[in-house]
RNA sequence: UUGCAACUC
């Protein structure tokens, strides 16, 4: 089973999701039971293919197996349903889980984000906080942009404050900081956006794009142009 | 050997 799992994972990594399904069928034909390592991979492949029928078939197998309360499998299922545009099903899996970990929460939050369910994402986030689960950089990178899209500057600031309290791993993270730049730009607080942007240690192309499109949206053409030139000087190409 | 996240497009 280990060899099959490694093979499936390798295909999944290179985006060969159809091949994953193929191997999955073959391994079962060869008499091997998919285990708790196989299933998350294969569910991810279904998500990659946006194949709801395949995803549902694997889900049905999961329910019949011993693995139906595995955290990895359930997070993968949430992710898969969200990817296939079935946030209702994703939420159902989430609600029916006996215990949830941080990734379960993050999966349902990002599921709502994918469907433009910004309000819902923030509601889930607040119940998550109420359940005493501490967010990580994935959580914040989903939830901060949600504030931006809803123009909730106060909430955004509050979450920014929380990120700082959570320490360096959080407040020094590129994704979190790029999200903050995006959120402040959307909320037209360009001073804060600029301040965060300037403080990002390992700025990447996403940080630059967030700042640039912020200027563009706020009709600050000159600032945008200057920044664009600066970006080129740091060796980034236009995108 | 397994699951989640940021901008633009």
């Amino acid at each position: 089973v280990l060899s099959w799992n490694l093979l499936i994972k390798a295909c999944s990594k290179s985006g060969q999701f159809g091949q994953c399904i193929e191997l999955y069928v073959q391994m079962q034909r060869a008499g091997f039971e998919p285990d708790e390592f196989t299933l998350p991979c294969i569910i991810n492949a279904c998500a990659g293919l946006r194949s709801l029928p395949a995803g549902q078939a694997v889900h049905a197998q999961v329910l019949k197996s011993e693995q139906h309360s595995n955290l990895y499998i359930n997070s993968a299922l949430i992710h898969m349903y969200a990817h296939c545009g079935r946030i209702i099903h994703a939420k159902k899996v989430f609600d029916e889980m006996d215990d949830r970990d941080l990734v379960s929460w993050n999966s349902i939050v990002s599921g709502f984000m994918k469907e433009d369910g910004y309000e819902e994402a923030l509601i889930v986030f607040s119940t998550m906080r109420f359940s005493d689960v501490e967010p990580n950089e994935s959580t914040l990178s989903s939830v901060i942009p949600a504030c931006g899209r809803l123009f909730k500057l106060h909430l955004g600031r509050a979450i920014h404050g929380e990120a700082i309290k959570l320490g360096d791993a959080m407040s020094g993270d590129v994704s979190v900081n790029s999200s903050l730049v995006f959120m402040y730009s959307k909320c037209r607080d360009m001073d804060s956006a600029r301040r965060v942007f300037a403080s990002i240690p390992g700025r990447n192309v996403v940080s630059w794009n967030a700042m640039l499109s912020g200027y563009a949206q706020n009709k600050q053409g000159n600032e945008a142009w200057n920044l664009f030139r600066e970006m080129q000087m740091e060796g980034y190409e236009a995108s």
Side-chain angles (χ1 to χ4, degrees):
Chain A
V1 183
L2 174 61
S3 334
W4 285 102
N5 288 348
L6 292 173
L7 216 53
I8 291 172
K9 180 63 186 167
C11 288
S12 163
K13 257 194 191 155
S14 59
Q16 316 240 41
F17 301 122
Q19 196 57 238
C20 291
I21 310 279
E22 195 72 19
L23 287 165
Y24 181 67
V25 172
Q26 278 179 32
M27 86 178 269
Q28 285 168 292
R29 268 212 281 266
F32 293 97
E33 264 310 292
D35 65 5
E36 69 268 42
F37 298 102
T38 325
L39 289 163
C41 277
I42 210 68
I43 293 166
N44 249 357
C46 298
L49 291 169
R50 310 265 137 110
S51 172
L52 185 63
Q56 283 175 318
V58 179
H59 190 178
Q61 284 185 300
V62 167
L63 293 177
K64 276 185 260 166
S65 74
E66 315 284 289
Q67 312 290 353
H68 51 78
S69 28
N70 181 289
L71 285 169
Y72 287 74
I73 292 173
N74 280 293
S75 297
L77 284 169
I78 293 168
H79 181 241
M80 182 276 295
Y81 279 122
H83 246 80
C84 294
R86 293 294 135 84
I87 189 65
I88 313 275
H89 297 238
K91 185 68 163 53
K92 186 158 181 278
V93 172
F94 178 82
D95 286 337
E96 288 174 357
M97 291 174 72
D98 302 315
D99 13 73
R100 304 173 182 117
D101 68 358
L102 181 56
V103 179
S104 331
W105 286 97
N106 288 350
S107 300
I108 192 66
V109 168
S110 67
F112 278 122
M113 291 302 293
K114 220 165 271 141
E115 298 270 299
D116 299 325
Y118 311 120
E119 299 274 9
E120 291 90 338
L122 290 176
I123 291 169
V124 173
F125 178 66
S126 69
T127 44
M128 171 182 152
R129 304 298 286 120
F130 196 70
S131 319
D132 269 322
V133 180
E134 227 175 52
N136 68 1
E137 55 278 21
S138 298
T139 325
L140 297 183
S141 305
S142 291
V143 122
I144 292 168
C147 299
R149 303 221 178 244
L150 296 169
F151 310 107
K152 292 188 180 247
L153 181 57
H154 289 293
L155 219 209
R157 270 195 218 288
I159 297 176
H160 187 178
E162 259 195 87
I164 292 169
K165 272 194 225 143
L166 287 167
D168 248 36
M170 220 55 63
S171 56
D173 182 81
V174 206
S175 305
V176 171
N177 280 296
S178 303
S179 301
L180 286 167
V181 170
F182 173 81
M183 182 276 293
Y184 283 124
S185 302
K186 279 279 178 211
C187 297
R188 322 235 110 140
D189 182 350
M190 292 314 284
D191 286 339
S192 303
R194 218 186 328 259
R195 206 174 311 124
V196 172
F197 179 78
S199 79
I200 306 180
R203 260 171 246 163
N204 63 15
V205 67
V206 177
S207 328
W208 285 98
N209 277 340
M211 192 70 232
L212 276 171
S213 62
Y215 281 138
Q217 278 161 23
N218 289 282
K219 312 215 184 314
Q220 304 196 8
N222 289 332
E223 305 276 14
W225 182 245
N226 290 337
L227 192 77
F228 183 68
R229 287 189 23 199
E230 222 183 292
M231 178 177 101
Q232 288 179 317
M233 290 198 310
E234 295 211 6
Y236 289 96
E237 295 295 331
S239 66

